[in-house]
């Protein structure tokens, strides 16, 4: 640790700290535009100037000077830093005056108003006049994609966006052209950005130069009610903030959570907003004579009850979808148990993961933060750039530090970092034990759903466990066996044991013609149901499940209910309600409770509190919010012996189109535009 005195306050800080960080440790406020904790240091805005006693006779850029670079006093006294001296005050006023020379000062019509760093710092550190009377320069606005709107007259060349795309996103989409007064920030040939994280540049921009395009001119920050929640667009469970005005969700922003998403979110998480209100189911429907008609709740329930009374328990099944909260899956399971039905499944993609093999067999055991400790990675049947873009950025961050070899078995794609390509299918995985791609003390073996959602998924699971053992992934207290899920509801469903019981059949078998008489789809839209069964669909959008349904029960999307989710690493997260469902739609647990009474099998709870009491009594780890329950010791022998023969068929990706993976995304016009742009890039690459 190093000592220094900041404005009379003595602090001990690590020598690698910058002066800016050291000053903040001492409680001093340091303005900045270009500096960001998660990006490299540029030192080009000069707003963070401080005075260093014994240093050069001019202000120093505190973001670019390390504490170790300071010299002690003549008698060994700690270095002295001043943040409020006359020199500093005059220097900051001069920098602010410079920054505002070309700024258009169009705050009344700028979407950044009220959240603008330039506004705030001009008020705190600027002056009320300027010595410059020349004409302001004009810069043409650029097209950089469907998610980010540009107003480049406002750009102050902090280069945060450039550094983000180069360092975090890994695509290098943005850069600077020209020099001096002619310098402009743009994309290559003014094309759309290619990253799945591009929306984060609007958060990073300290002025109104880069703004979220779908949110343009919609609302002001002070009009919005802010609700902390968690994302369900993938299985990472990123921390988010949902901003609403009245009953409408206006925007979704990231929250800082170093253990999961740091401060980034994917573009799908951020711009799914219009899909939350488009194509919504807001009342029950019944199918009569091949056509759906509006119905009352009572009519819908009575139609369901009539069909269930005619069916034997062995001919009744239920499938839980990818966006369901733990509470409704638990309620559905209780209802199926009360009906005597054993056919229930949460794995609508057909993944051969089984909770009977232990929790460690289906979670991301090293945890997301464990990527920072790892010293090697092998990716099997997964494309993390599409399946979890923020997790992929974390992998890239670790790769940039060095000493982190990456190998891939599966599809050969651009992951934004270099890797050794080993092969395409299970035969390569089977040969790992005799042909290690690297040696590491804390390796991670990352297995995606593309490896498990096949007929030989159990065999692949066993091969992956053997490969992890050969690589030394089970080393002392380290468990590098990491399953990357694509569905937010999957780990919670497996924790609840939402898989077929004795005599039951799995999701793939349930959808075949003649397999069942009654099939209940709880938000299950990613699976095709063949003709034959009477289908009850409880969900939110007029998507695939509703198109096949005989009865439709309108539910609530994730922003409209309080629900528990478990992310891919097994972390329990409680998402809060930000707004209310439209029309007659209700929260899913409440629909199941009301239906159970009509069926004559009343569920043992009347409120969400009572439901959670039952849930916590049966599965105590769900009560430990933001915690990862330690799984039992990893039985690698049992897991390795669980499989059988595998087919020499290449692994296929679990996600074909990143932007259209669920009913909310498919209802979004913004996601449709993003998908079209991405497909255009794919065609260009193929040509």
């Amino acid at each position: 640790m190093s000592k220094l005195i900041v404005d009379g306050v003595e602090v001990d800080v690590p020598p690698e700290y910058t002066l800016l960080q050291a000053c903040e440790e001492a409680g001093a406020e340091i303005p900045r535009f270009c500096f960001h904790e998660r990006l490299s240091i540029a030192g080009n805005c000069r707003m963070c100037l401080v005075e260093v006693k014994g240093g050069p006779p001019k202000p120093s850029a505190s973001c670019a000077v390390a504490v170790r670079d300071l010299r002690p006093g003549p008698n060994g006294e700690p270095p002295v830093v001043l943040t409020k001296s006359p020199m500093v005050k005059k220097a900051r006023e001069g920098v602010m005056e410079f920054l505002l020379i070309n700024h258009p000062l169009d705050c009344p019509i700028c979407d950044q108003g009220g959240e603008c760093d330039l506004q705030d710092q001009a008020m705190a550190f600027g002056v009320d006049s300027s010595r410059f009377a020349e004409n302001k320069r004009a810069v043409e606005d650029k097209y950089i994609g469907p998610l980010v709107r540009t107003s480049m007259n406002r750009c102050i060349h902090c280069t945060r966006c450039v550094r983000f795309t180069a360092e975090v996103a890994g695509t290098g989409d943005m850069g600077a052209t020209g020099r001096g007064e002619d310098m402009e920030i743009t994309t290559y040939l003014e094309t759309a950005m290619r990253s799945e994280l591009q929306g984060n540049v609007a958060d990073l921009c300290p002025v109104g130069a880069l703004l979220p395009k779908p949110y343009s001119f919609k609302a002001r920050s002070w009009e919005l009610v802010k609700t902390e929640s968690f994302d369900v667009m993938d299985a990472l469970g990123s921390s988010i903030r949902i901003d609403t005005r009245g009953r409408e969700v206006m925007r979704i922003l990231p929250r800082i959570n170093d253990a999961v998403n740091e401060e980034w979110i994917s573009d799908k998480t951020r711009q799914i907003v219009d899909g939350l209100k488009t194509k919504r189911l807001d009342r029950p429907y019944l199918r009569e004579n091949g056509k759906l008609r509006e119905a009352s709740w009572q009519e819908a329930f009575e139609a369901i009850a009539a069909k269930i009374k005619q069916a034997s328990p062995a001919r009744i099944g239920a499938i839980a979808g990818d966006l369901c909260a733990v509470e409704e899956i638990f309620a559905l399971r209780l209802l199926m148990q009360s009906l005597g039905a054993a056919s229930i499944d949460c794995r609508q993609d057909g993944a051969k993961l089984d909770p009977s093999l232990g929790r460690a067999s289906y979670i991301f055991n090293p945890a997301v933060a464990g990527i920072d400790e790892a010293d090697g990675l092998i990716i099997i049947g997964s494309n993390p750039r599409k399946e979890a873009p923020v997790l992929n950025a974390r992998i890239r961050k670790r790769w940039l530090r060095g000493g982190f070899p990456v190998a891939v078995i599966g599809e050969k794609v651009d992951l934004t970092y270099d890797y050794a390509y080993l092969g395409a299918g299970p035969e390569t995985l089977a040969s790992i034990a005799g042909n290690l791609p690297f040696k590491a003390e804390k390796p991670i073996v990352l297995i995606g759903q593309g490896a498990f959602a096949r007929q030989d998924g159990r065999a692949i699971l066993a091969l992956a466990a053997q490969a992890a053992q050969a690589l030394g992934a089970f080393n002392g207290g380290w468990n590098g066996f990491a399953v990357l899920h694509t569905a937010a509801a999957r780990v919670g469903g497996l924790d609840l044991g939402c898989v077929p019981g004795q005599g039951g059949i799995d999701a793939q078998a349930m959808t075949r013609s003649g397999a069942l008489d009654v099939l209940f789809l709880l938000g299950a839209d990613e699976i095709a149901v063949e003709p034959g069964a009477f289908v009850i669909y409880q969900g939110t959008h007029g998507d695939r499940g509703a198109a096949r349904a005989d009865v439709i029960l309108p539910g609530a999307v994730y922003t409209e209910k309080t629900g528990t989710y478990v992310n891919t690493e097994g972390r329990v997260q409680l998402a809060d309600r930000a707004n209310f469902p439209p029309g007659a739609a209700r929260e899913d647990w409440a629909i199941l409770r009301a239906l159970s009474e009509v069926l004559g099998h009343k569920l043992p709870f009347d409120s969400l509190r009572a439901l959670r009491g039952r849930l916590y009594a049966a599965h105590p780890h769900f009560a430990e919010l933001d915690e990862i329950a330690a799984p039992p010791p990893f039985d690698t022998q049992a897991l390795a012996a669980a499989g059988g023969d595998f087919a020499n068929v290449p692994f296929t990706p679990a996600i074909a189109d990143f932007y259209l993976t669920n009913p909310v995304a498919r209802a979004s016009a913004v996601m449709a535009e993003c998908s079209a742009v991405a497909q255009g890039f794919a065609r260009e690459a193929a040509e």
Side-chain angles (χ1 to χ4, degrees), residues 347 349-353 380-381 409-411 424-427 429 447-461 463 506 508 645-654:
R347 306 162 302 178
D349 60 356
K352 302 300 186 290
L353 294 170
I380 302 167
I409 300 175
E411 188 183 30
E427 67 281 0
L429 179 58
I447 314 101
Q449 299 307 295
F452 297 136
R454 349 180 334 149
Q455 289 300 318
D456 59 353
R458 286 289 285 264
I460 302 302
L461 181 63
L463 285 176
D506 65 13
Q508 303 298 309
D645 296 332
F646 59 85
N648 286 333
V649 178
F651 295 128
T652 56

Side-chain angles (χ1 to χ4, degrees), residues 390-461:
V390 178
L391 179 78
N392 194 61
R394 191 97 173 209
I395 294 172
R396 174 178 167 79
K397 174 185 170 184
R398 174 62 188 90
W399 172 79
L400 284 172
R401 275 171 41 203
F404 188 67
V406 181
V408 169
I409 300 175
E411 188 183 30
K412 194 172 185 179
V413 293
D414 178 12
L415 295 177
T416 71
Y417 42 85
D418 295 336
Y419 58 82
Y421 185 68
L422 304 181
E427 67 281 0
T428 306
L429 179 58
S431 68
I432 286 290
N435 186 24
L436 297 180
F438 52 76
K439 289 184 178 180
E441 293 182 3
K442 290 186 174 182
I444 292 178
V445 178
L446 188 156
I447 314 101
Q449 299 307 295
F452 297 136
R454 349 180 334 149
Q455 289 300 318
D456 59 353
R458 286 289 285 264
I460 302 302
L461 181 63

Side-chain angles (χ1 to χ4, degrees), residues 73-410:
N75 299 315
E77 304 95 334
V80 175
V81 178
L82 302 175
T83 69
K84 299 176 183 176
S85 67
M87 177 197 288
V88 172
K89 184 174 184 296
K90 184 176 181 181
R92 288 177 181 169
E93 288 175 352
V95 169
M96 181 58 69
E97 189 178 0
F98 236 167
L99 289 173
L100 294 178
I101 290 174
N102 285 310
H103 198 78
L105 302 179
D106 53 357
C107 303
I109 62 162
C110 177
D111 272 338
Q112 195 86 345
E115 299 174 312
C116 179
D117 291 350
L118 188 63
Q119 272 186 337
D120 296 340
Q121 293 180 40
M123 289 292 291
F125 304 102
V127 290
D128 62 353
S129 61
S130 173
R131 289 168 285 179
F132 295 90
E134 289 78 12
N135 292 330
K136 295 178 182 290
R137 75 169 192 157
V139 182
E140 185 178 350
D141 294 341
K142 311 293 193 299
Y143 172 78
I144 61 174
L147 298 181
V148 181
R149 177 172 67 88
T150 61
S151 183
M152 302 313 291
N153 283 336
R154 302 168 184 159
C155 181
I156 61 170
H157 300 164
C158 70
T159 68
R160 281 186 182 183
C161 55
V162 176
R163 285 174 284 148
F164 174 83
T165 58
E167 298 164 14
V168 179
T171 54
D173 287 321
M174 301 194 75
T177 62
R179 298 185 67 186
E181 187 180 2
D182 296 324
M183 178 178 169
E184 296 182 15
I185 303 293
T186 181
T187 55
Y188 181 65
L189 296 180
E190 295 190 28
T191 57
M193 290 189 281
R194 298 170 184 253
S195 171
E196 295 78 17
L197 300 168
Q198 60 185 272
N200 290 287
V201 300
D203 291 340
L204 288 171
C205 185
V207 295
L210 301 176
L211 295 162
K213 187 180 286 186
Y215 177 69
S216 294
F217 308 116
K218 293 286 181 65
R220 288 296 197 179
S221 60
W222 54 84
E223 300 175 318
L224 305 176
V225 176
K226 301 164 179 65
T227 306
E228 294 186 352
S229 190
F230 294 93
D231 172 49
V232 299
M233 291 297 111
D234 56 35
L236 186 62
S238 300
S239 296
I240 59 174
R241 193 187 83 195
I242 303 170
D243 289 359
T244 56
R245 185 174 61 189
R247 297 175 65 98
E248 185 179 1
V249 174
M250 301 305 297
R251 65 178 179 180
I252 294 173
L253 297 175
R255 287 188 293 125
I256 296 175
N257 185 344
D258 286 330
V260 180
N261 61 304
E262 298 182 306
E263 60 184 87
W264 319 122
I265 55 174
S266 73
D267 294 334
K268 186 164 54 176
T269 299
R270 182 186 300 272
Q271 298 297 0
I272 204 76
V273 172
D274 64 319
L276 295 171
K277 57 187 177 183
T278 307
K279 295 177 65 177
R280 286 299 302 273
L281 300 172
D282 59 356
R283 64 201 69 186
Y285 287 87
L286 272 175
R287 190 177 295 278
E288 290 183 353
N289 301 321
K291 293 184 178 181
L292 290 170
R293 69 164 179 87
E294 294 180 17
S296 66
W297 282 105
Q298 192 63 31
E299 284 181 295
F301 287 165
E302 287 174 357
I304 295 168
K307 286 291 182 180
I308 287 180
K309 285 176 183 175
Q310 295 171 8
S312 69
R315 304 279 295 176
I316 300 173
I319 302 174
D322 292 346
L323 305 183
C324 297
V326 167
E327 288 84 354
E328 55 244 31
I329 299 177
F330 182 66
L332 178 65
R333 189 164 177 268
L334 288 179
L335 180 59
M336 290 297 112
Q337 287 175 344
S338 68
L339 294 172
S343 298
I344 182 170
D345 204 348
C346 65
R347 306 162 302 178
Q348 62 174 333
D349 60 356
K352 302 300 186 290
L353 294 170
D354 191 345
S356 66
L357 297 173
R359 194 173 196 244
S361 69
Y362 60 82
I363 66 171
F364 200 96
N365 289 282
V368 174
I371 294 171
D372 298 339
E373 302 176 38
D375 54 1
L377 171 68
I378 180 167
I379 299 172
I380 302 167
S382 176
N383 179 354
R385 180 173 172 181
K386 286 186 177 180
E387 295 169 22
V390 178
L391 179 78
N392 194 61
R394 191 97 173 209
I395 294 172
R396 174 178 167 79
K397 174 185 170 184
R398 174 62 188 90
W399 172 79
L400 284 172
R401 275 171 41 203
F404 188 67
V406 181
V408 169
I409 300 175

Side-chain angles (χ1 to χ4, degrees), residues 456-497:
D456 59 353
R458 286 289 285 264
I460 302 302
L461 181 63
L463 285 176
Q466 292 166 11
Q469 205 164 13
L471 284 165
F474 312 115
N475 182 12
W478 177 258
N479 183 348
F481 190 82
V483 176
L484 179 60
H485 290 275
T486 56
R490 187 64 48 79
V491 175
L494 293 172
D495 282 352
L496 291 171

Side-chain angles (χ1 to χ4, degrees), residues 2-13 17-30 50-53 62 67 70 78-85 92:
S2 300
K3 285 187 178 181
L4 69 160
I5 299 172
V6 179
D7 293 338
V9 178
E10 185 174 299
V11 290
D12 275 346
V13 294
Y17 264 32
T18 63
L19 281 188
L20 189 151
Q21 293 169 306
C23 291
E24 291 191 333
E25 283 290 316
E29 182 182 1
I30 305 294
V50 297
E51 182 180 356
V52 180
K53 288 291 185 182
S62 60
V67 171
L70 299 183
V80 175
V81 178
L82 302 175
T83 69
K84 299 176 183 176
S85 67
R92 288 177 181 169

Side-chain angles (χ1 to χ4, degrees), residues 605-665:
F605 51 82
D606 293 314
S607 65
L608 187 57
R609 182 189 294 271
L611 188 160
R612 285 195 177 132
R614 291 265 177 177
L615 173 66
Y616 297 160
H619 305 276
H621 73 281
F622 286 118
E624 303 296 327
L625 298 181
D626 202 33
E627 297 290 336
I628 303 174
F634 201 82
D635 190 349
T636 54
Q637 301 299 328
L639 188 59
D645 296 332
F646 59 85
N648 286 333
V649 178
F651 295 128
T652 56
I655 292 178
D657 191 332
F658 166 73
Y659 296 101
L660 303 176
T661 56
N662 58 62
V664 186

Side-chain angles (χ1 to χ4, degrees), residues 425-684:
E427 67 281 0
T428 306
L429 179 58
S431 68
I432 286 290
N435 186 24
L436 297 180
F438 52 76
K439 289 184 178 180
E441 293 182 3
K442 290 186 174 182
I444 292 178
V445 178
L446 188 156
I447 314 101
Q449 299 307 295
F452 297 136
R454 349 180 334 149
Q455 289 300 318
D456 59 353
R458 286 289 285 264
I460 302 302
L461 181 63
L463 285 176
Q466 292 166 11
Q469 205 164 13
L471 284 165
F474 312 115
N475 182 12
W478 177 258
N479 183 348
F481 190 82
V483 176
L484 179 60
H485 290 275
T486 56
R490 187 64 48 79
V491 175
L494 293 172
D495 282 352
L496 291 171
C498 188
V499 294
Q502 187 173 3
I505 56 177
D506 65 13
Q508 303 298 309
M510 282 188 236
T511 59
R512 297 191 188 114
S513 183
L516 297 175
D517 292 334
V518 178
L519 177 59
F520 198 103
L521 301 180
L522 181 61
D525 290 275
E526 313 309 317
I527 190 166
V529 181
E530 296 177 5
F534 181 83
V535 176
I536 305 147
Y537 175 75
Q538 180 177 325
T540 59
H541 287 73
D543 204 73
R544 299 167 183 168
R548 171 63 183 85
D550 295 289
V551 178
I552 295 175
L553 306 176
V557 296
Y558 70 103
T559 65
E560 298 165 356
K561 60 189 176 187
T562 300
T564 304
Y565 296 89
V566 186
N567 76 348
T568 193
E569 59 181 350
R571 185 182 301 274
V572 180
Q573 300 171 317
L574 183 63
D576 282 338
R577 178 171 60 192
N579 62 329
F580 291 90
R586 295 292 181 266
E587 292 186 50
D588 295 283
W589 71 267
I591 296 173
L592 292 167
R593 163 64 182 78
L595 175 61
S596 70
E597 192 162 3
V598 176
L599 296 177
H601 296 273
K602 183 178 176 181
L603 293 176
F605 51 82
D606 293 314
S607 65
L608 187 57
R609 182 189 294 271
L611 188 160
R612 285 195 177 132
R614 291 265 177 177
L615 173 66
Y616 297 160
H619 305 276
H621 73 281
F622 286 118
E624 303 296 327
L625 298 181
D626 202 33
E627 297 290 336
I628 303 174
F634 201 82
D635 190 349
T636 54
Q637 301 299 328
L639 188 59
D645 296 332
F646 59 85
N648 286 333
V649 178
F651 295 128
T652 56
I655 292 178
D657 191 332
F658 166 73
Y659 296 101
L660 303 176
T661 56
N662 58 62
V664 186
R666 287 189 288 271
S668 167
V670 175
M671 291 297 101
E673 186 178 356
C674 290
S675 174
V677 170
Q679 288 173 8
F681 283 140
R683 283 193 297 270
E684 287 177 19

